[in-house]
Amino acid sequence: MAGLVNNLLILFLVFQNICSGFRSPLSVFKRYKDTTRSLSSECLGSNRPVISLGLSDFALDIRMPGVTPKQSDTYLCMSVPLPVDDEAYVVDFKPHASMDTVHHMLLFGCNEPSSTESYWDCDEGTCKDKSNILYAWARNAPPTRLPKGVGFRVGGETGGRFFVLQVHYGDISAFRDKHKDCSGVTLHLTHQKQPLIAGMYLMMSVNTVIPPGEKAVDADIACHYKRFPMHLFAYRVHTHRLGKVVSGYRVRNGQWTLIGRQSPQLPQAFYPVEHPVDVSYDDILAARCVFSGEGRTTETHIGGTANDEMCNFYIMYYMEAKHAVSYMTCTQNANPEMFRNIPQEANIPIPVNSDMLKMTHGHHEEMKDTDKSSLLQQAKKEEEEILDQDFHMEEAVEWPGLDLKLGQVSGLALDPENNLVIFHRGDHVWDENSFDSKFVYQQRGLGPIEQNTILVLNPSNAKLLHALGNSLFYLPHGLSIDKNGNYWVTDVALHQVFKLGAGDKEPLLILGVALQPGSDKNHFCQPTDVAVDPITGSVYVSDGYCNSRIIQFSPNGLYVMQWGEETSSGKARPGQFHIPHSLALIPDFRQLCVADRENGRIQCFRLETGEFIREIKHKSFGRELFAVSYVPGGLLFAVNGKPYPGQAEPVQGFAMNFSTGEIIDTFIPLRKSFEMPHDVVASADKTVFVGDVHARAVWKFASTEKSETVVEARLKNNPESTDPLKKQEKQHLVQQTSTGVSFVLVTTLLVIPVVVLLAILVFIRWRKTTVYGADGEHKLDSSSGRILGRLRGKGGGGLNLGNFFASHKGYSRKGFDRLSTEGSDQEKDEDDGTDSEEECSAPPPPPAPSSS
């Protein structure tokens, strides 16, 4: 008996456990949110700060022990001892912090912390002895990666035995709920000796004063280097809110070499030094911070609070282990006169739009979530409005622009009045004789193109409105138009980029050296396209056929930065290009998307930093993707190239959801055929123009959701064109059918309780009739009698519920069955009406005329 009881008890517990797994999604989500909140307050990782990662490696978790700062601009410190006595090397860092609560973090190495408490106010100091900065983080920065074979040395006879974490809490409004903060960093350490030892070189201004209202104030730092050679691999800039740009250089024999340049208002990560820089004995390290005192009413000094300023340029370096020094500083300006020769780029602020500025600052700024993400929300809303509609592109066959006599069409754009602008090559062609093996143009004897290469057309009727660009270009390629109506074009023969005013015959700006290919800051090699940021005016150039990079220039044409590299063997990695052929600037999301032509993909990057964000690639793109264009609101258009032998992907246009990268529609022309579609441009109303360099033609496409004339024109010209229409009708039919189904479901759910209630009433009435006789029936009111009459139908007998539920086949069109049938018939009639209405489509279209 006891065994039976035990078995029953076990079965009950198992059943209870199984049932506990079946909870409503709402309760599970709530439990997940509650758990997440509580876990975050309990400082994940604090119970197990040391985690073994193998025989020689381990991870050390360094976290604030659940603190709640009481006032803004609080600096709190805590220490963690190195868990081993022998020498170890820090080879990786992983931050755990958010700019919503933390302004910045610093990690120091030393032998004696300033306090033995679990945490303390950093005003007491960080370390009693000499401290070395190992790591710095601010503004949602990504993890810092050390090169292979490089590590920070800790422990042993020479390394520090304690880590001290300093966290600056700028604005404490995030702590109104009194939650506890557990920000910190996880270190990856190893016992394996590293041949190269990392260190930190801090350049810091200590006496800069920023007058109120002053537009530009420079803080300069410079020191002579007097040690063994060091190799620089990463840099980080830091100011508070008045900083506009921070730049660092190595100066050798009067030559300035850039270490790094960045806006301190962007995520303050350690960015890699783009081109490796070594520093030798007697070189000079120099840095400049540019501030603006606009908006301030009093002087601003260097200090530790948010209302003060800082000018810091951090350099991560490595040295041979036998000569390694772990920490060096420079706080003076050893040669003020030398800054007269500082490169001009150091004086050019890096623009950051106001929304990003609000998002990156954590000091005394209370913002609603809607304020923080207004741009993204607006873009999302517009995208949803567009993508909620049925969408299909068709050629506007009535558009006469296809018949224009053009040269090779290389570029298209829309001006601020939405006029179509065509960039073509007139009587010049690009063929196998155009360039030698070093990309030098071989047909200079032909002279520049005599025809007007830039044509401005009415987008509705293709009427020529304006023409310019004669005797200027040799081989036109890319075209872009800024918000002021200026034309930005590239010429692959001249290896140059031009800015032209709409009414000017001479260029307003020329970048590059005529007919000289190159890969430095002053030369291009067959540049392909230009994009201009409507917010900041920054200019982006894709360069090109023989370089693999994107270059950013200031609005005045000064070099700012570049990114990208040639595609290596095997699969193309992010940031690698094989002919960056076309650019699409997405101001809504602060991104620049590049048609990476020979890699058959689109790559998107962050505008301000060049950081890779994502790749859009589909099998239907084939091997080549020539051009890309963006429509505000969330649509991305592209055109591909002809398939290679043995490949089936056709040459066509694509419409895509920008957020997801999903292909919404593909389109091809009805008149003529795509041969090599070279550029695409789209307007806000989803009108699309495609220019073909081989067909020497421009097609116009329009969305069928708005253009009935396009649909009708296609019906008249192509008997096979009914498929898209049928597809639309079918989608519409499915939507209406879905609506009908929803109506049936709701009606059924409402009827069932009523029917059950009536059944109970009938049963009770039947029992009363049986017990009390016919007199009982007359006690019911007339409305009940009418209801029962309907339930009984034409027959007069009582209703047997047992028989009704026992067999659904044994009904006699009486009682409940009559009510159910009437409901079904009504819905069926509605559906039938919808079907017949949808199927009465247009008569079969007449045969299409032969294409011209």
Side-chain angles (χ1 to χ4, degrees), residues 574-641:
Q576 293 185 336
F577 300 111
H578 192 179
I579 307 182
H581 195 259
S582 171
L583 300 177
L585 197 144
I586 294 85
D588 299 346
F589 297 89
R590 307 301 300 155
Q591 294 182 27
L592 181 73
C593 292
V594 184
D596 187 7
R597 195 181 99 172
E598 299 300 306
N599 285 324
R601 63 179 178 174
I602 299 169
Q603 294 191 74
C604 297
F605 303 87
R606 199 174 304 282
L607 271 178
E608 285 75 14
T609 63
E611 174 192 356
F612 174 82
I613 297 176
R614 63 173 178 149
E615 171 191 278
I616 301 174
K617 187 177 177 70
H618 296 281
K619 183 180 179 182
S620 54
F621 285 174
R623 286 275 297 273
E624 298 177 332
L625 192 80
F626 272 74
V628 62
S629 178
Y630 176 74
V631 172
L635 282 176
L636 201 62
F637 292 91
V639 289
N640 65 351

Side-chain angles (χ1 to χ4, degrees), residues 634-706:
L635 282 176
L636 201 62
F637 292 91
V639 289
N640 65 351
K642 275 196 170 183
Y644 280 56
Q647 292 184 327
E649 291 79 12
V651 56
Q652 58 189 331
F654 302 88
M656 290 166 281
N657 180 328
F658 174 75
S659 294
T660 66
E662 176 190 3
I663 294 176
I664 303 170
D665 189 33
T666 60
F667 53 93
I668 59 173
L670 302 174
R671 301 176 296 167
K672 297 187 179 181
S673 297
F674 283 153
E675 295 181 30
M676 185 185 282
H678 198 262
D679 202 7
V680 60
V681 65
S683 64
D685 65 355
K686 288 164 283 181
T687 298
V688 177
F689 296 92
V690 176
D692 194 305
V693 72
H694 281 180
R696 303 189 181 199
V698 178
W699 286 270
K700 178 180 178 180
F701 297 85
S703 168
T704 56
E705 69 189 19
K706 287 188 176 181

Side-chain angles (χ1 to χ4, degrees), residues 217-280:
V217 179
D218 299 333
D220 296 333
I221 315 156
C223 289
H224 286 274
Y225 183 73
K226 300 292 185 180
R227 295 183 181 272
F228 286 95
M230 65 176 177
H231 303 271
L232 316 184
F233 65 89
Y235 72 94
R236 172 183 177 265
V237 304
H238 179 72
T239 72
H240 291 167
R241 66 176 74 235
L242 299 185
K244 300 301 181 183
V245 60
V246 181
S247 309
Y249 297 88
R250 180 203 69 190
V251 185
R252 177 183 292 172
N253 300 324
Q255 297 293 317
W256 294 69
T257 300
L258 181 68
I259 299 169
R261 174 178 177 273
Q262 190 56 274
S263 167
Q265 308 307 326
L266 295 173
Q268 296 185 7
F270 274 98
Y271 293 95
V273 174
E274 188 169 348
H275 301 291
V277 177
D278 64 277
V279 180
S280 301

Side-chain angles (χ1 to χ4, degrees), residues 47 83 99 101 122 158 175 180 188 231 256 289 298 400 427 453 460 483 565 571 591 614 648 690 792 811:
N47 296 327
M99 68 181 180
T101 53
C122 297
T158 58
F175 290 91
K180 298 182 183 299
H188 181 175
H231 303 271
W256 294 69
C289 300
T298 59
D427 56 4
T453 54
S460 300
K483 67 178 182 179
E565 61 182 28
K571 184 179 179 181
Q591 294 182 27
R614 63 173 178 149
V690 176
R792 287 172 177 167
Y811 64 85

Side-chain angles (χ1 to χ4, degrees), residues 135 428 449 704 734 737:
Y135 178 70
H428 283 204
I449 301 168
T704 56
V734 169
T737 304

Side-chain angles (χ1 to χ4, degrees), residues 394-395 397 668-671 710-725 844-850:
E394 300 284 351
E395 184 191 348
V397 294
I668 59 173
L670 302 174
R671 301 176 296 167
V710 174
V711 174
E712 292 171 358
R714 174 157 187 181
L715 286 173
K716 295 177 182 177
N717 286 276
N718 193 339
E720 298 175 359
S721 64
T722 54
D723 290 342
L725 293 176
S850 59

Side-chain angles (χ1 to χ4, degrees), residues 201 222-227 282-285 330 332 334-335:
Y201 193 109
C223 289
H224 286 274
Y225 183 73
K226 300 292 185 180
R227 295 183 181 272
D282 217 28
D283 285 342
I284 298 176
L285 289 171
C330 171
Q332 60 179 326
N335 188 355

